[in-house]
Amino acid sequence: MNRSVYRTLLRIVGIVLALVGVAAVFGGVFAHNNVTDQLKKEAISMPTADQVTNLPQASRTP
């Protein structure tokens, strides 16, 4: 194969990788926002590290 074929394949692979990267970022942002919205609707908050260490021993997960 000549150089122009390799360059064309390289461009196609580069474009595909860029699209996959954009889709991954979009998916991560979508998932983060979805979980955050659900937790806010249910008024669920995550404890801080200090709050977890101050729990009684029976309440801590192993």
Side-chain angles (χ1 to χ4, degrees), residues 4-27:
S4 64
V5 174
Y6 286 123
R7 285 184 183 170
T8 303
L9 288 175
L10 184 61
R11 287 181 184 161
I12 291 171
V13 169
I15 290 170
V16 168
L17 287 177
L19 291 174
V20 168
V22 168
V25 170
F26 176 76

Side-chain angles (χ1 to χ4, degrees), residues 3-60:
R3 264 187 191 188
S4 64
V5 174
Y6 286 123
R7 285 184 183 170
T8 303
L9 288 175
L10 184 61
R11 287 181 184 161
I12 291 171
V13 169
I15 290 170
V16 168
L17 287 177
L19 291 174
V20 168
V22 168
V25 170
F26 176 76
V29 169
F30 174 78
H32 174 76
N33 290 338
N34 194 16
V35 170
T36 301
D37 291 344
Q38 288 178 0
L39 291 176
K40 283 182 182 178
K41 287 178 185 176
E42 296 179 16
I44 296 174
S45 62
M46 297 296 181
T48 63
D50 292 335
Q51 292 171 333
V52 172
T53 57
N54 293 334
L55 287 175
Q57 185 64 32
S59 299
R60 295 183 194 170

